Every structure is written in C-alpha cells, then in structure tokens.
Amino acid sequence: MTTSIARRIGAAFAEAGVTGHLHAVDIDSGAEVDAGADQPVVTASVHKLCLLVALHEQAEAGRLDLAERVECPADDRTSGPTGLAAMLDPVLISLRDMAYLMMAVSDNGAADLLLRRVGLDAVNATTARLGLERTRALHTFRELFAMLREDTGPQGAPSLRSPHVVAGLRALDPARTNHTTPRDMTRLLGAVWRDEACLPGHCAAMRRILGLQVWPHRLASGFPFDDVRVSGKTGSLPTVRNEVGVVEYPDGGRYAVAVFTRSASTAATLPAADAVIGTAARMAVDALRARGSAAGGPARPGADGPGGPAGR
C-alpha cells in the first residue's frame, strides 16, 4: 500500500509541474506514508519552526523570558514583505509576539531578531537533542538573502527568471544552506504535539502559534472542512514551495505531514504548485486513516473525510 500511495503522490507532483518529497505519520500509532521521506531538502522559512522550539527550550531553561520586550529599530531589519520586516517605524515588542509574527506571517525581521537572542548554535543543539540528525541551520535569513543577491549578480531579481541562474543558486542546494528531511520535520512536529519537545505548557504555546498561520493555499487547501484543524509553517524560495504541519480530525486522529517541492518553472506565481502540497498531504492522510480503520483503530470518518466524499 505504501508503494501504491507513493506512486499516486508522485503522479500528483508531476501533474503540477514539480518534484516533491513527502512524509506523513500518524502521531499516535506511528503508521507512515513515505514518498521520499529521507531526501535532503532546503528548508527556507520552514526552519523557523526549529527556531521556535529552540526559543521555548531556552525559556524553559530560564535563559530568557518570553515576555521580555525588545526594541526593534526601523533600520537594520532583515527584509521581507510581512510583519516587522515591512514596518517603517521603531517597534517595542515581546519575544513571544515576535515568535507569533515569525510563524503566522513568516516575518523574516522577527526571525533574525530572535536568532540574535537565541543563536544558531542553540537552534542546532535543539534539533540534535530531538534526534533530527539531518537537520541543520547554516546561516541566518539575512545571510541567506545576501547569498541570493551574490548569486543573482548585477541583474538582481529579474535574473531569477533564468533557469540557468536558478540552477546555480546556493540557497537551493541542501548541502550549502539550511536543510532537513521530510522525516525529520514530522519527527519534530510529533514531539511538539506529544509534549516531548519541551514541557507541556511550552508545547501548547507552540501548537497555538502554528495554528495561527495565515496562509491557506498550501497544506490547508487539502482539508476544506470546518471541523478539521490544520497547523503549519510554510517555506518559499525561487522554485521552492514547502509546508510542514499537523492535521487534526474531530475523532482524535492527528497526522504530521511534511511536503517539500521544487517547480520546473521559475515563475513566482504557480497556483498548481502551491495546491499540490494540499493534494499530496490529503492523499497521505486519507491513506493513514484508511489503514487505521482497517487495523481496528478508533472509529474515524475514513478516507472520505468529515461531512462527505473526498474532493467535495
């Protein structure tokens, strides 16, 4: 069955014009769907999840106070289209609220301010402690963008339309940028949802923040039901569209899913490439739910999902 669902997911990726790698796991039973789960992949902003866990680990250890307020001057912020990165005036904000901006709207400015407080070494120590052997942060988001500017040369962003330029970007090479595997990310999500990453209060706070992400066009698009909760974190770079998250059903079923894709096209707007993340995730979760029902697990609505057939 695993081979069959992996083939179907691969076909969905191909139809959307992307290559993709996916891992999905039932957080409670450990049943899994593997469609390239151990492939090294570029994290992009998905790595903010690792920073979030490291931040809460530091708070748990008493090394920082999440309510601590930080002055964020108007200049010297990491660039980006959302949150502090897009604001024009000085801001006084708590570490906790910066973490919210980092996760809910993928604020690069907030992420790098938190990295100054936490440190890359602490992020890597946290992922190592949790057994994420193939996950590592090599640089800050500001350094990542600087690397992109160097690689695009004097033409800047317009050169990203060239497949030749994109093929040479260090930011798209897992060996030279922040990286992970789909399996590592579902392991991290499982640890947060089982209260293993930190003390229960800190894990609950992280689950809350992940549930506040505003982007509905990737993972959440595969689960258009009022009674299914999707919590996640996206990541994007030229040709890269990722999301990792947890899907929770009203019958108690909960599934960690990690989807990492690369598009053949260099276009910045590719709705099909975004949507296939939700499609592939739904296929994997449906397979896990069907497998759980066949094994005599708790009563669940099954592969059709709540309220009616799949694809309604």
Side-chain angles (χ1 to χ4, degrees):
M1 181 176 180
T2 299
T3 302
S4 173
I5 187 62
R7 281 199 299 265
R8 289 172 53 210
I9 289 169
F13 285 144
E15 185 177 355
V18 305
T19 56
H21 307 285
L22 174 148
H23 189 241
V25 61
D26 185 318
I27 289 173
D28 299 299
S29 75
E32 65 175 16
V33 170
D34 178 345
D38 298 307
Q39 177 70 26
V41 290
V42 169
T43 48
S45 284
V46 165
H47 224 101
K48 292 168 184 171
L49 173 59
C50 303
L51 172 54
L52 178 70
V53 178
L55 175 73
H56 278 268
E57 184 178 50
Q58 295 276 304
E60 180 182 306
R63 298 189 187 100
L64 56 81
D65 181 353
L66 292 172
E68 172 191 334
R69 291 189 172 191
V70 177
E71 180 79 37
C72 308
D75 58 353
D76 197 34
R77 289 183 195 161
T78 302
S79 62
T82 60
L84 296 174
M87 295 179 187
L88 300 178
D89 297 314
V91 175
L92 183 64
I93 188 171
S94 69
L95 297 177
R96 184 183 359 251
D97 285 343
M98 271 200 289
Y100 158 72
L101 290 173
M102 173 180 74
M103 301 303 290
V105 298
S106 205
D107 180 354
N108 297 323
D112 272 345
L113 286 167
L114 289 171
L115 272 172
R116 288 184 194 175
R117 189 71 174 79
V118 173
L120 279 178
D121 288 345
V123 174
N124 289 325
T126 294
T127 53
R129 175 181 67 83
L130 293 171
L132 312 185
E133 297 179 355
R134 304 181 71 181
T135 299
R136 190 161 185 84
L138 302 184
H139 40 237
T140 67
F141 293 96
R142 173 174 293 189
E143 290 165 346
L144 171 64
F145 299 145
M147 192 165 66
L148 274 170
R149 287 193 296 271
E150 290 174 11
D151 290 349
T152 54
Q155 290 188 336
S159 68
L160 293 174
R161 292 193 291 266
S162 164
H164 176 74
V165 171
V166 169
L169 295 178
R170 288 170 289 169
L172 305 185
D173 179 358
R176 296 190 285 179
T177 189
N178 301 341
H179 57 268
T180 189
T181 64
R183 190 186 304 276
D184 268 9
M185 286 297 98
T186 58
R187 182 170 186 167
L188 179 57
L189 289 164
V192 172
W193 256 255
R194 291 190 301 267
D195 291 336
E196 297 169 354
C198 293
L199 290 173
H202 285 285
C203 286
M206 288 188 278
R207 292 192 294 269
R208 171 187 171 272
I209 288 178
L210 283 159
L212 295 174
Q213 181 182 239
V214 301
W215 316 121
H217 60 310
R218 292 183 181 169
L219 185 60
S221 70
F223 305 89
F225 310 114
D226 290 342
D227 54 357
V228 175
R229 179 177 177 82
V230 179
S231 307
K233 181 69 197 78
T234 61
S236 306
L237 283 170
T239 73
V240 166
R241 293 165 178 83
N242 307 328
E243 187 160 357
V244 305
V246 170
V247 181
E248 298 176 272
Y249 278 69
D251 61 7
R254 49 188 192 165
Y255 311 89
V257 187
V259 188
F260 293 83
T261 73
R262 288 282 304 273
S263 65
S265 170
T266 60
T269 302
L270 289 172
D274 290 314
V276 77
I277 292 175
T279 300
R282 176 69 182 278
M283 293 167 69
V285 170
D286 281 354
L288 290 173
R289 289 176 66 75
R291 194 181 308 172
S293 296
R300 294 177 179 175
D304 285 342
R312 69 174 185 182

